[in-house]
Amino acid sequence: GNSVTQMEGPVTLSEEAFLTINCTYTATGYPSLFWYVQYPGEGLQLLLKATKADDKGSNKGFEATYRKETTSFHLEKGSVQVSDSAVYFCALSDLGSQGNLIFGKGTKLSVKP
Amino acid sequence: DGGITQSPKYLFRKEGQNVTLSCEQNLNHDAMYWYRQDPGQGLRLIYYSQIVNDFQKGDIAEGYSVSREKKESFPLTVTSAQKNPTAFYLCASASGSGNTIYFGEGSWLTVV
C-alpha cells in the first residue's frame, strides 16, 4: 500500500543553518505530495505542495521538489530561523481512497539562537 | 473569516462516557475528515465524508462514529468502546477529492 517515510528527529540546528528533512514515498499512480507544519499545540498548516513530477513547491523560504525517479520529496531551507521550530509532516494524497492524506510520522525541528 | 472551527479545544471525559467533538467549516468544502494524532506519531484517518449524508471509515474507525447532515458540519463522537481515546483530534476539509486538505486547530481529549 501507499506509505510515506521521513527522517526521524529531533533535528536541532543553529539559526541560519541549512535544513534538509528527507521524505520518500511508496505509491501507485501519481499522487500529489505535501509538506505540512505543526506549531506546538496547534493544527497542521499547509507549507507547500507539488502535484506532478519535477514540480517544485515553495513557501516562506522552504522548497521541495517532486522526484519521481527517486520517489522523494525532501524539504529544504537555506537559512532557518528560531521561528521555524515546529514539527514537519510529509504527506501524499491517496488516490485509491478519494484523496485522503497518508502522513509520515513527523520530524521535530528545534532551531537554537 | 473562512476556516475550520473545532470545539472544544480541551475536553476531559470519564471512562465509559461518550463525547462529541464539533467541527464546522465555512469554506463551502464538500469533503471533510477526522484524524487522530498521538504523541510522536503521524496522523491516522478515522472517518471521512465526500458529500452530505455519506461517510466512510478510515483506518481506525472502531470506537468512533460520525454524521454529515449538513455540508458545513462533521461532528465526531468518541464512544465508550474506544479503548484508548486520549489523543489530539484534527478535523479537516477539502473542496473535493484529491484537492488540498486544510486543517482546524484541533481538540485535545483526555480520559480521566
Side-chain angles (χ1 to χ4, degrees):
Chain A
N2 296 344
S3 66
V4 174
T5 303
Q6 60 181 107
M7 63 186 288
E8 293 197 17
V11 174
T12 303
L13 296 173
S14 298
E15 206 165 21
E16 299 184 3
F18 185 86
L19 168 71
T20 299
I21 300 178
N22 290 338
C23 172
T24 57
Y25 67 92
T26 301
T28 55
Y30 303 93
S32 295
L33 300 174
F34 305 83
W35 277 101
Y36 283 85
V37 57
Q38 184 177 36
Y39 298 101
E42 298 184 8
L44 274 68
Q45 300 175 25
L46 177 66
L47 182 59
L48 55 84
K49 68 177 184 179
T51 58
K52 60 183 187 295
D54 299 326
D55 264 4
K56 177 185 284 187
S58 61
N59 185 26
K60 300 180 181 179
F62 292 89
E63 293 183 341
T65 301
Y66 190 149
R67 300 286 189 199
K68 188 164 178 61
E69 64 276 13
T70 54
T71 61
S72 65
F73 193 55
H74 304 322
L75 182 68
E76 297 182 336
K77 186 175 185 182
S79 176
V80 293
Q81 305 300 312
V82 172
S83 58
D84 293 327
S85 298
V87 180
Y88 292 82
F89 291 93
C90 184
L92 65 81
S93 61
D94 188 351
L95 301 177
S97 63
Q98 301 177 37
N100 299 319
L101 289 175
I102 295 176
F103 286 88
K105 291 189 174 182
T107 302
K108 183 176 182 179
L109 170 67
S110 295
V111 181
K112 307 297 183 185
Chain B
D1 286 350
I4 303 167
T5 302
Q6 291 186 236
S7 63
K9 177 74 172 177
Y10 300 95
L11 185 61
F12 295 87
R13 187 196 91 176
K14 292 184 179 179
E15 283 194 23
Q17 288 182 336
N18 293 352
V19 63
T20 297
L21 305 179
S22 170
C23 179
E24 303 279 331
Q25 55 96 1
N26 60 5
L27 300 168
N28 200 33
H29 284 173
D30 287 314
M32 296 189 74
Y33 309 82
W34 274 104
Y35 290 87
R36 170 181 171 141
Q37 184 179 23
D38 293 286
Q41 300 296 313
L43 280 70
R44 293 181 291 171
L45 182 66
I46 304 172
Y47 268 99
Y48 63 101
S49 168
Q50 299 289 347
I51 196 169
V52 174
N53 292 324
D54 188 41
F55 49 83
Q56 285 79 41
K57 293 181 179 180
D59 300 320
I60 55 165
E62 185 176 353
Y64 300 97
S65 66
V66 294
S67 63
R68 187 84 188 276
E69 297 176 1
K70 297 185 297 182
K71 185 176 184 178
E72 60 269 26
S73 179
F74 192 42
L76 173 74
T77 297
V78 185
T79 74
S80 57
Q82 168 51 233
K83 298 187 186 312
N84 186 19
T86 296
F88 189 47
Y89 291 88
L90 286 157
C91 179
S93 70
S95 58
S97 174
N99 291 339
T100 300
I101 294 177
Y102 296 92
F103 286 82
E105 291 294 306
S107 293
W108 291 93
L109 173 62
T110 302
V111 174
V112 297

